[in-house]
Amino acid sequence: MTLLKFVDRSSGKSVGAFNWFATHGTSMTRDNKLISGDNKGAAARFFEDFFASAAKKSSSGSTSDGGTLVAKASRIKATGGQTCSKTTSQGSKVRKNDGSLFVGAFCQSNVGDVSPNVLGAFCIDSGKPCDFNRSSCDGDTTLCVATGPGKSDEVLSTKIIGERQFKKAVELYTSAKEQLTGKIDYRHAYINFTNLGVQLDGKVVKTCPAALGPGFAAGTTDGPGLKGFQQGDKEINEKYKKIRDGLQKPSQYQEDCQKPKAVLLSTGEMFKPIAWAPAILPIQILRLGNLIILSVPGEFTTMAGRRLREAVKQTLISEGKGEFDEDTHILIAGLTNTYSQYIATFEEYQQQRYEAASTLYGPHTLSAHIQEFKNLATTMAKGEKGKKKGPSPPDLSSVQHWHSIDPPGDSPPPGKKFGDMKDDVAGSFKRGDRPNATFWSADPRHDLLTEGTFSVVEMLQGERWVPAYDDDDFSLFFKWKFESQGSATLEWEVPEEASSGIYRFRHFGSSKNTRKSPTEYFTGASSAFTVS
């Protein structure tokens, strides 16, 4: 992990940090139906709350004894549904977006072959390890699944992997001593990667139009793909060849260029209704003094990233006339500016596992990136302006297709209002418990409540209800479902650091009588409960 610390020079106040560490955001499995920032989002939340923890701890609840709290809570009933405005929920945000909050960004790097599911891949039918070379179980990739440290609990895995990144970030932040000074600079270019000449070992080789191989369809142990495919496949059965040819039969040039990859989808030769894969990619180098950031348009594997970093460093050193040295920091910012899937090494490409099968522009894709980044690095080291920026990528904004259908109108059950309780909460809970409450609620797609929140856990402080946890908190879950009428369940896993006191749930939402009706906003709060 590399961390960049930001401090306000005049006040000495910590204002934020960006760090780069390679791991996929696949701790949450594809079975998860909730919106999640995965392990990177969890790490960012933990990191930012770490800096706000002193202020949060200063908030205290009631000092009454447990019996008095329970008795008081039992007298506080649900409010029932009430109307509110579009922006009302913003006032219930725990973290006010006033520009004063510490910002912790957990950025991606050369993540291509790095998984957060660190316990390894096993066959879900037998419990035995998967075939090492093919990531399958008796030829079936759908049975080979990797597991995170939380084992069957994907939320716990997400939390653990997030906490590991958070703790390392705190360690680096508190120990950071090297101050960045010097030039601020950048270079940027657009490159057509589909037929690019690459100088390699005294000869010129070419990249190819984009294509995906059968190993792509096999998926990975983080998310298995289709039955009938395995990682490492270099042939395609006749059934899938017919399907492929019905979409677009690859040209002979494409098949020869992509070898040893068998072409399953010749996306670089598919243009209806629009191009299926990018041809023109942006590459970029940013300089902040002694820190060089390589903005790459895809997922480099571990070794591909190492080779790119080393090539750029040596170019800067050799062309920079002493301005750069071995202490120059080179890091990769992955998946930036556009997405061109994976970039594997030439050797990895020969094996045609998932990452190689998803390396779009043929066996020399990495060499092409290295060549073009070295060209940018040379102009930066010499202080020259970059060469012409290259061909501009097509503007597809006018041909985008929107297939999502707006939600229909909603209505609560007879005699009920949105925000009324369907299943209330009551009683006393301890840390680690999961109290929940269900409200009658409308489809949340009517308004995503940007800068607001759908769910809040409020704490009684004196005579005031104060927001303690909201949608941004890892411990609070918001689940909406429709069964003849819509309902929203708020579930809170009471954190170990939660203060003892009286709490309640509050829900915000929006509704429409019909698709064309104006949007109306509502809120409601549950009965009170205690945490001790």
Side-chain angles (χ1 to χ4, degrees), residues 372-417:
E372 298 305 316
F373 270 99
K374 286 174 66 176
N375 289 342
L376 289 188
T378 298
T379 63
M380 177 174 283
K382 292 182 176 180
E384 300 172 350
K385 289 185 177 180
K387 299 177 182 178
K388 63 179 182 178
K389 292 187 176 182
S392 296
D395 181 354
L396 302 177
S397 58
S398 63
V399 292
Q400 295 300 302
H401 297 273
W402 180 259
H403 298 293
S404 178
I405 300 174
D406 290 338
D410 313 91
S411 60
K416 299 291 184 180
K417 296 181 293 184

Side-chain angles (χ1 to χ4, degrees), residues 324-337:
F324 302 92
D325 56 29
E326 290 295 337
D327 292 328
T328 299
H329 303 284
I330 313 286
L331 64 84
I332 287 176
L335 298 88
T336 52
N337 297 326

